[in-house]
Amino acid sequence: MSTSSAAPAARRWWALALIALAQFMVIMDTSIIGVALPRIQEDLGFSQEDLSWVFNAYVVAFGGLLLLGGRLSDLFGARRLFVAGWVILLVGSAVAGAAGSVAVELTGRAVQGVGAALIAPSALTLLMMLFGANPRELTKALALYGAAAPAGGTAGVFLGGVITEYVSWPWVFYINIPIAVLALVAAPMLMPAGGAGARGSVDVLGALTVTLGLGAVVYAIVRAPEVGWASAQTWGVMAAGLVLLAVFLGIQAARREPLMPLSIFRTPNLGAANLAQLLLGGAWIPMWFFLNLYLQQVLGYSAFPSGAALLPMTVLIMIGMITLAPRAIGRFGAKAMTVAGLAVLAVGMGWLSLVRPDGNFWVDVLPASLVAALGMSLAFIPSLGTAISSARPEEGGLASGIVNTSYQVGSALGLAAMTAIAASQGADELGNLPALTDGFSAAFLGAGLIALTGAVLAAVTLRSPRPEPEPASPAGRPAERGSKAGR
């Protein structure tokens, strides 16, 4: 990954801005439809049980195809896949915005997810190509990239509220179109053209089984509160999903050129860092989802104030990821910061679980949400950097696809599980503020336990790198070293 030395410095940082925009967009598209769902349901005729698939159709396609996106990035070049992803995202956004029926809406959302599955791993690969040769610059680049993810999630809720309240719900999809056009114009000028170093075939069967398997598991969890956890449908669909995932692993073990070579997990820290990302997504996404519902359904906020109330978290996360996290990683190492960040996130979630039916933003929401945001900002960058820097350069796209998959799958499964827990505690009783609050409190507590589990497992499984001898400078003094992203 020597491209960083060849690319002019200014162009590399403009390229990073485009990469961060890509991360912002693919995460924003998971959250921007939240506030608009009641309007979409009314206009298109969604049933209550099917409405969640406006969210899940995107997330399942996104998470299920990320591995394929990473493999295609290695085979055909990251820039080509980056551009192709934006084209597909543009088409899916146009279809979803213009939809006049349930089937067309879900098709548009799934197509958006396919585009995002090509954009996300190729964007990370391009980042490594541009900044991988300089550890200090790489840490800064990852901080900016990492800040774009939670910023996109929170901005999606905020923009969704503004657009739904003051424009119309199709524009939560149409907003992607001008941004996609900008990306398509800028990418050929800013992004390096190399990166297609791998050779081989595409494991279509592997991509199909992992996507269907993940979709079945998410579907079973999402539908369980409605049809019953003990029902034959729940366990039948869950079993089918697990069988498909087992078949996927079998295919990967048997194929000469698998979609995800299982040997990559023998790389030190790669599996542990991906586990941390999975549990981080499983804790964080349910938190902001139910926090938005608490603000609207219990505290009585409308769409716009509810989105605005989440902005302090976004600001703290961006400051933490850009300024605090890189310095902390350089001083304490990636393992310590991953563990500490997940632990702080768990504390914030536990505090949020104390929300009251007659609470208020300043006491029940703001302090605890800022603690949670601090934990997110400390844990995200070191676990992400460790995951992608552990792999060999020629496996950069694959590593990017795996870590994005881990976070998205964790997000989908965490949200599905916490939705089931919240519903079991009364969160489906609209208008009953004590019951709603009990349900949301249970979801916050459950998400906190996920984060705490992540902290414990990261402490046990992540390895700290051995100290490297400091090279002597010409004056005989130790030369200053940049901190590595993988520490």
Side-chain angles (χ1 to χ4, degrees):
M1 296 184 184
S2 59
T3 310
S4 63
S5 60
R11 194 182 78 180
R12 286 191 297 118
W13 292 103
W14 278 111
L16 176 62
L18 182 56
I19 291 169
L21 176 65
Q23 174 74 342
F24 179 93
M25 286 295 300
V26 299
I27 301 301
M28 185 182 75
D29 278 340
T30 66
S31 63
I32 195 169
I33 51 90
V35 177
L37 284 176
R39 303 279 180 87
I40 295 173
Q41 180 180 25
E42 181 180 347
D43 287 354
L44 300 185
F46 274 91
S47 65
Q48 186 66 28
E49 59 269 20
D50 290 336
L51 187 61
S52 64
W53 281 97
V54 180
F55 175 84
N56 289 324
Y58 177 88
V59 172
V60 170
F62 184 16
L65 293 174
L66 275 165
L67 290 175
L68 179 61
R71 175 63 174 163
L72 293 175
S73 178
D74 290 336
L75 287 174
F76 301 112
R79 191 174 77 177
R80 289 192 186 96
L81 264 292
F82 187 77
V83 170
W86 280 107
V87 171
I88 295 172
L89 180 65
L90 187 156
V91 172
S93 299
V95 171
S101 68
V102 169
V104 175
E105 181 63 39
L106 296 184
T107 299
R109 285 294 283 167
V111 172
Q112 282 187 305
V114 173
L118 301 185
I119 292 171
S122 58
L124 260 180
T125 302
L126 289 166
L127 185 150
M128 293 298 292
M129 291 170 64
L130 289 163
F131 297 96
N134 187 317
R136 177 168 292 179
E137 284 193 348
L138 177 60
T139 299
K140 293 178 181 178
L142 285 171
L144 291 167
Y145 174 87
T154 305
V157 176
F158 176 71
L159 289 175
V162 172
I163 292 170
T164 302
E165 194 160 313
Y166 297 112
V167 190
S168 63
W169 68 260
W171 281 94
V172 302
F173 305 113
Y174 290 151
I175 193 175
N176 291 338
I177 295 175
I179 298 173
V181 171
L182 173 64
L184 291 171
V185 171
M189 297 185 291
L190 297 175
M191 299 301 180
R199 294 182 179 180
S201 60
V202 178
D203 181 10
V204 176
L205 183 59
L208 185 64
T209 53
V210 71
T211 303
L212 292 177
L214 290 173
V217 170
V218 171
Y219 180 82
I221 295 175
V222 168
R223 295 278 291 167
E226 188 170 343
V227 302
W229 281 99
S231 71
Q233 178 182 326
T234 297
W235 289 104
V237 175
M238 178 74 74
L242 294 175
V243 167
L244 284 168
L245 292 176
V247 170
F248 166 72
L249 294 177
I251 292 171
Q252 303 314 290
R255 280 184 64 96
R256 173 180 290 182
E257 296 176 348
L259 183 65
M260 183 183 71
L262 301 182
S263 60
I264 194 173
F265 288 101
R266 291 199 291 267
T267 303
N269 275 339
L270 189 139
N274 274 278
L275 179 60
Q277 280 277 308
L278 183 143
L279 294 172
L280 186 60
W284 177 257
I285 296 301
M287 188 277 293
W288 69 253
F289 182 87
F290 286 104
L291 186 56
N292 183 59
L293 292 182
Y294 175 75
L295 289 167
Q296 292 193 56
Q297 296 179 356
V298 177
L299 299 189
Y301 284 33
S302 63
F304 176 74
S306 176
L310 300 178
L311 289 180
M313 283 200 309
T314 301
V315 172
L316 179 59
I317 286 171
M318 295 185 71
I319 292 173
M321 287 190 177
I322 294 171
T323 62
L324 179 59
R327 295 179 182 178
I329 294 169
R331 181 169 183 179
F332 301 107
K335 175 179 178 177
M337 297 318 303
T338 301
V339 173
L342 283 163
V344 172
L345 179 59
V347 171
M349 301 290 195
W351 194 348
L352 277 173
S353 72
L354 303 177
V355 291
R356 302 165 297 164
D358 58 347
N360 65 77
F361 170 75
W362 301 102
V363 175
D364 294 80
V365 175
L366 182 63
S369 67
L370 291 179
V371 172
L374 177 62
M376 175 65 170
S377 68
L378 293 177
F380 188 87
I381 297 300
S383 56
L384 175 69
T386 300
I388 63 175
S389 64
S390 297
R392 298 191 302 270
E394 63 271 18
E395 294 179 326
L398 174 61
S400 300
I402 291 173
V403 71
N404 273 288
T405 299
S406 297
Y407 186 84
Q408 293 303 322
V409 169
S411 300
L413 295 179
L415 180 57
M418 293 308 106
T419 299
I421 290 174
S424 70
Q425 298 299 312
D428 55 351
E429 299 182 27
L430 293 178
N432 186 339
L433 298 189
L436 283 172
T437 305
D438 287 345
F440 299 154
S441 175
F444 292 137
L445 187 60
L449 291 175
I450 292 175
L452 183 60
T453 301
V456 172
L457 291 177
V460 172
T461 59
L462 281 173
R463 302 180 189 175
S464 297
R466 296 178 181 178
E468 299 175 11
E470 296 189 356
S473 67
R477 293 174 297 179
E480 185 179 2
R481 293 182 297 163
S483 59
K484 291 186 178 180
R487 288 189 178 174

